Amino acid sequence: MNLKRNGALLGLFAAGALTLAACGSDNNAGSVEVDADASGATCEGKANLSGAGSSAQKNAMDNFVSTYIAVCNEKGSTVNVAYNPSGSGDGRTQFIASQIDFAGSDSGIEGEQAALAAERCAGNPAWNLPLVFGPVALAYNLEGVDNLVVDGEVAAKIFNGQITTWNDPAIVALNEGVELPDTPITAIVRSDSSGTTDNFQQYLEAASNGAWTTGAGSDFTGGIGEGAKGSAGVAQAVSGSPGSITYVELSFAEQNGLSIASIDTGNGPVELTAESAAAAIDGAEFASAGGGDLTLDLTSIFGTDAEGAYPLVLATYEIVCSGGYDADTGAAIKSFLTSAANEGQEGLEEIGYVPLPDSFKTQLTESIDAIA
């Protein structure tokens, strides 16, 4: 099934879910159909959890929260999870400072931040737990061109300024028979620290045949482009700027009615669909060597040349303490994540995500259960 869907309907879903997440309204939760008896969520612990971070996972989080509220309502408990989509970098910073119970991030916490997080977690490591996969669209605004094809090298050269017009020979070679204008290319990039930026730049490193030389990281390193804040910001900027292109999560591209490029990985153009994203995810491996942390090694996804596999896919993590929470917070975290990993996955494909494969769900559940 193609992930694309009616933008107006998606906008209504997102608006309603955002109200729910912000206000904790039981009225909105009442419209969500759930089988509470089948849920493993206990609804125990403190009633109000807090999280912040990745804007890429905002729509998925709305789904998790509304489902969790509905499950707990049926079980006779009133709960809420307030999530602020302030960006992955901000989420990790707030988590380290103990300002929130968990962080959402498109990149795992590591290095110095991981050490600081362990201090916050009473000496226990913070775990990166993937809850949903989100394909990243190369979304563009180019009149008369609805089926653009790019590859990793062309994408890198657009975002580092080596390709500056839409009729550049390298783009023409990938789009035989398409009339490409001499319109200047405007690259729109994230101005804030972003896990989406980090993943996109990792993809460029893996797939550009050496054209991307400025490295990865949560801040854009390409040295060009016009900045906009958040996933919604870059999508809106492209919507209002003919000749522009950005990297953004599929749901935001769809909400703004943007065209989405196919990616040629060496076996022909691959359109962004649920099936093509899942084909790439099948090749993912874990970077961590055992234990409860489930950080993924996405190099094999970004550099895939498997037939029919769409390579630009990021993992959305929840960063949690593996131990060190007070009893009420720990119980609530485990309850919420259990719901999110199971019934919360329902409906994600309809809003632009790829739900957890069963193999990931099994390992994720084991990690959630192991939170002390």
Side-chain angles (χ1 to χ4, degrees):
M1 180 186 299
N2 196 303
L3 282 169
K4 296 179 180 178
R5 64 171 298 178
N6 183 278
L9 180 57
L10 182 56
L12 286 172
F13 175 91
L18 178 59
T19 300
L20 173 60
C23 302
S25 168
D26 290 344
N27 293 332
N28 286 334
S31 64
V32 178
E33 295 184 4
V34 295
D35 182 359
D37 291 336
S39 173
T42 65
C43 303
E44 295 176 346
K46 71 177 185 179
N48 296 301
L49 286 173
S50 61
S54 166
S55 61
Q57 68 168 230
K58 173 210 171 280
N59 292 342
M61 184 59 63
D62 291 342
N63 198 65
F64 298 154
V65 172
S66 60
T67 301
Y68 183 55
I69 290 173
V71 165
C72 291
N73 277 352
E74 288 199 14
K75 292 189 174 188
S77 298
T78 300
V79 299
N80 188 42
V81 181
Y83 183 80
N84 179 16
S86 56
S88 295
D90 179 70
R92 294 192 298 269
T93 298
Q94 288 197 53
F95 178 76
I96 289 168
S98 299
Q99 295 171 345
I100 51 177
D101 299 314
F102 67 93
S105 182
D106 311 322
S107 298
I109 196 165
E110 59 184 7
E112 182 181 355
Q113 283 195 324
L116 293 172
E119 292 181 17
R120 173 259 159 93
C121 297
N124 300 285
W127 284 347
N128 301 299
L129 303 181
L131 270 183
V132 69
F133 291 94
V136 176
L138 287 171
Y140 65 96
N141 180 347
L142 191 60
E143 186 176 358
V145 180
D146 298 324
N147 298 298
L148 183 73
V149 178
V150 300
D151 61 14
E153 184 172 351
V154 164
K157 290 180 177 179
I158 287 174
F159 282 91
N160 68 15
Q162 294 183 54
I163 291 177
T164 59
T165 60
W166 282 108
N167 65 346
D168 185 278
I171 303 178
V172 171
L174 292 169
N175 292 272
E176 185 177 353
V178 178
E179 187 173 344
L180 293 164
D182 61 358
T183 305
I185 298 174
T186 301
I188 307 294
V189 303
R190 288 284 291 268
S191 61
D192 54 325
S193 180
S194 163
T196 310
T197 296
D198 187 17
N199 279 267
F200 178 60
Q201 293 181 132
Q202 289 185 56
Y203 160 72
L204 295 179
E205 284 187 315
S208 68
N209 296 318
W212 190 259
T213 61
T214 54
S218 298
D219 296 316
F220 182 72
T221 65
I224 68 159
E226 297 181 3
K229 186 174 182 180
S231 300
V234 294
Q236 290 166 5
V238 171
S239 179
S241 180
S244 61
I245 186 170
T246 195
Y247 53 92
V248 70
E249 297 73 28
L250 177 63
S251 57
F252 292 92
E254 290 184 331
Q255 285 176 24
N256 286 273
L258 302 178
S259 297
I260 297 170
S262 297
I263 295 179
D264 192 332
T265 62
N267 282 312
V270 181
E271 183 183 358
L272 175 47
T273 68
E275 290 78 11
S276 64
I281 292 169
D282 282 342
E285 298 177 356
F286 291 107
S288 48
D293 182 72
L294 298 179
T295 304
L296 293 162
D297 178 1
L298 294 177
T299 302
S300 58
I301 292 181
F302 295 143
T304 185
D305 59 0
E307 186 174 358
Y310 181 87
L312 191 43
V313 180
L314 63 80
T316 294
Y317 296 100
E318 308 311 323
I319 299 172
V320 299
C321 292
S322 60
Y325 288 118
D326 64 78
D328 282 345
T329 301
I333 286 284
K334 294 173 72 169
S335 179
F336 171 61
L337 292 180
T338 297
S339 176
N342 290 282
E343 61 269 11
Q345 298 291 307
E346 296 294 327
L348 288 187
E349 183 178 329
E350 297 177 8
I351 53 173
Y353 299 92
V354 182
L356 288 171
D358 287 341
S359 58
F360 280 85
K361 188 179 295 186
T362 298
Q363 295 184 70
L364 177 60
T365 299
E366 290 176 357
S367 291
I368 293 170
D369 290 343
I371 294 173

